[in-house]
Amino acid sequence: MEAQSSSTLLLSRKRRRDGSNGEAEEGERFGKIPRCTVGLRHPVPFADELEPADSKAYKRVSMEEAKRGTPPERPVRVYADGIFDLFHSGHARALMQAKCLFPNTHLIVGVCSDDLTHKYKGFTVMNEDERYDAIRHCRYVDEVVRNAPWTLTPEFLAKHRIDFVAHDDIPYSSAGSDDVYKHIKEAGMFAPTQRTEGISTSDIITRIVRDYDVYVRRNLQRGYTAKELNVSFINEKKYHLQERVDKVKKKVRDVEEKSKEFVQKVEEKSIDLIQKWEEKSREFIGNFLQMFGPEGALKHMLKEGRGRMLQAISPRQSPSSSPTREERSPSPTFRLPFFSKTSPPPSPPHHSGAPLYCIRSGSPRHGFDTKFGVGKVSRGITKTLLGISGCRLSEQVN
């Protein structure tokens, strides 16, 4: 009853055939269920270990009565059989569907023996005891029948008081019959379930066979010997060599990935540096043109400095309205005090000696200007005095 009540909270779900990877279809998700402990503490009992049923006559339950619900003391007994080799989620889902067919269900699962399975279907990976034990630990199962028959007989159905048989609706041809469940369907005892696409025992074996070398190398790594794996000495050495080669390839891939990450980081940093360099270069070029360009600050500074230099070294020019030399009044002549006013004029130029130099204020004739310092003026006066003294002495001698 606990399994039934918890299963009513689950939504139906099918797995897609291709590319599902266990993902549910859109809108087909498990519903939220309250936190509770619904697991069982003990494995499912075998049918031959249970007490015999009551002495009442066996009377089947109809489909309508089963769907309406039966009393707790009379659950609907549903039977599901199979090989259940390499028990997987597809098996568990089929048993879950069988358990949830009716509100009150007692699920009986029959597992065929090795002899019967090898005769009609083929060799199994797990032996019968392993397959029995796998079914005993499925939460949806209430009872396990060992050595189940390949074809269900009326005696078997009556012995286990079976009301309905659950299986997928695809015809199961075996043992010289097109469908071993044909008589069950005709009797109205068949309850169809849905297969879980993408998972089966044959699919799992196909994966192992397809990747045989991978799984052999896997088990060799885990300590299995070549004899246990039925591998020859040469193949064992080949697998060990392949393992070493794969390790080297893995290291190379790791180095390539790290180098790619390093190159990517370098590219990102280089892009940042280039962008910063472009920004700085634009700023530098702008500042350079502003300083040294055709109309830059340096050109204006040079022009201004050249103008100041020319102004400093060039003499002052007289204004255009000033009188000419003939019109100017004669400048006063400065003479030394020890010479008399009636002294004769200086000797003619043929006499030896320096000529008489007169200092006239404001006269630019001899290059004197107020811009010259006092030292230059004093030296000029000294030279003039020497020249005048020489002229006077020569006149006296003559």
Side-chain angles (χ1 to χ4, degrees):
M1 294 298 293
E2 291 179 355
Q4 178 66 26
S5 61
S6 62
S7 62
T8 57
L9 298 174
L10 301 177
L11 300 175
S12 62
R13 184 176 74 169
K14 292 182 182 179
R15 186 178 297 177
R16 291 175 290 194
R17 180 180 295 273
D18 298 327
S20 61
N21 294 327
E23 296 179 358
E25 296 283 354
E26 186 68 24
E28 297 179 352
R29 296 283 189 271
F30 280 110
K32 298 292 184 180
I33 60 175
R35 293 182 179 272
C36 60
T37 304
V38 295
L40 301 177
R41 295 177 179 269
H42 304 285
V44 176
F46 292 111
D48 52 6
E49 296 176 350
L50 295 175
E51 296 178 355
D54 53 12
S55 59
K56 293 182 181 179
Y58 166 62
K59 182 181 179 181
R60 283 189 59 248
V61 177
S62 64
M63 184 66 72
E64 291 76 11
E65 292 175 346
K67 289 182 178 180
R68 284 197 305 264
T70 58
E73 66 276 4
R74 177 57 175 94
V76 180
R77 296 175 67 85
V78 178
Y79 178 81
D81 59 356
I83 309 302
F84 302 107
D85 190 21
L86 298 175
F87 188 81
H88 51 76
S89 61
H91 295 142
R93 289 182 182 279
L95 298 178
M96 181 187 69
Q97 293 179 56
K99 181 70 174 179
C100 299
L101 286 172
F102 308 108
N104 185 14
T105 303
H106 181 86
L107 181 59
I108 306 167
V109 178
V111 183
C112 300
S113 64
D114 287 344
D115 294 337
L116 202 60
T117 303
H118 298 167
K119 178 180 178 181
Y120 291 110
K121 191 168 184 178
F123 190 76
T124 58
V125 178
M126 301 169 64
N127 59 40
E128 59 184 24
D129 292 330
E130 293 169 341
R131 292 184 285 114
Y132 296 156
D133 194 58
I135 295 300
R136 290 185 69 193
H137 291 83
C138 180
R139 62 183 298 179
Y140 309 112
V141 181
D142 299 305
E143 185 178 338
V144 177
V145 178
R146 292 182 285 193
N147 194 15
W150 197 261
T151 302
L152 301 178
T153 61
E155 293 77 17
F156 180 83
L157 297 175
K159 177 183 177 181
H160 294 280
R161 297 174 176 268
I162 296 172
D163 295 314
F164 297 96
V165 177
H167 201 274
D168 60 83
D169 202 12
I170 301 174
Y172 193 87
S173 59
S174 180
S177 174
D178 295 336
D179 189 2
V180 295
Y181 298 103
K182 182 178 180 181
H183 63 290
I184 302 294
K185 295 176 182 178
E186 292 175 352
M189 299 177 63
F190 189 80
T193 58
Q194 299 293 328
R195 292 180 64 87
T196 302
E197 302 296 343
I199 183 68
S200 69
T201 302
S202 299
D203 291 339
I204 295 174
I205 295 174
T206 301
R207 297 176 197 174
I208 297 173
V209 172
R210 181 184 58 201
D211 300 326
Y212 170 77
D213 292 345
V214 175
Y215 292 108
V216 170
R217 290 163 53 188
R218 171 187 179 274
N219 283 6
L220 286 173
Q221 292 176 7
R222 281 157 178 76
Y224 287 88
T225 63
K227 185 177 180 180
E228 291 174 332
L229 298 173
N230 195 23
V231 175
S232 64
F233 176 80
I234 296 176
N235 288 335
E236 180 186 7
K237 298 303 179 183
K238 181 186 73 173
Y239 292 139
H240 285 305
L241 179 60
Q242 289 177 352
E243 185 65 28
R244 294 191 187 97
V245 171
D246 288 346
K247 287 182 179 179
V248 173
K249 289 181 179 179
K250 186 177 182 299
K251 290 182 179 179
V252 171
R253 285 195 298 267
D254 294 341
V255 172
E256 287 180 353
E257 291 177 358
K258 291 181 180 179
S259 61
K260 288 180 181 178
E261 292 178 358
F262 176 75
V263 170
Q264 186 177 2
K265 291 180 180 179
V266 170
E267 287 180 354
E268 292 176 357
K269 291 184 178 180
S270 62
I271 290 172
D272 294 339
L273 290 174
I274 290 172
Q275 291 177 352
K276 291 180 181 179
W277 182 83
E278 288 179 351
E279 294 175 359
K280 295 294 183 181
S281 63
R282 292 193 191 98
E283 183 179 355
F284 175 77
I285 292 171
N287 293 335
F288 182 84
L289 293 176
Q290 186 177 3
M291 176 61 70
F292 301 101
E295 300 296 331
L298 183 62
K299 184 176 181 180
H300 293 290
M301 291 171 61
L302 292 175
K303 287 183 178 180
E304 185 177 356
R306 184 172 61 183
R308 290 180 179 178
M309 291 175 63
L310 291 174
Q311 184 179 1
I313 65 176
S314 63
R316 292 184 180 180
Q317 297 181 358
S318 300
S320 59
S321 59
S322 59
T324 59
R325 170 172 286 184
E326 291 78 5
E327 296 176 353
R328 291 177 183 172
S329 59
S331 299
T333 302
F334 295 93
R335 297 182 180 274
L336 294 176
F338 51 82
F339 294 106
S340 64
K341 293 182 179 180
T342 58
S343 298
S347 60
H350 62 271
H351 296 288
S352 61
L356 178 64
Y357 290 90
C358 298
I359 302 174
R360 301 178 182 272
S361 63
S363 174
R365 184 183 351 184
H366 299 288
F368 290 97
D369 195 89
T370 57
K371 290 184 180 180
F372 288 98
V374 178
K376 292 182 179 181
V377 174
S378 61
R379 286 196 296 273
I381 294 172
T382 304
K383 291 180 180 180
T384 304
L385 292 175
L386 291 175
I388 293 172
S389 301
C391 291
R392 294 297 183 184
L393 290 173
S394 62
E395 288 179 355
Q396 292 178 2
V397 169
N398 294 328

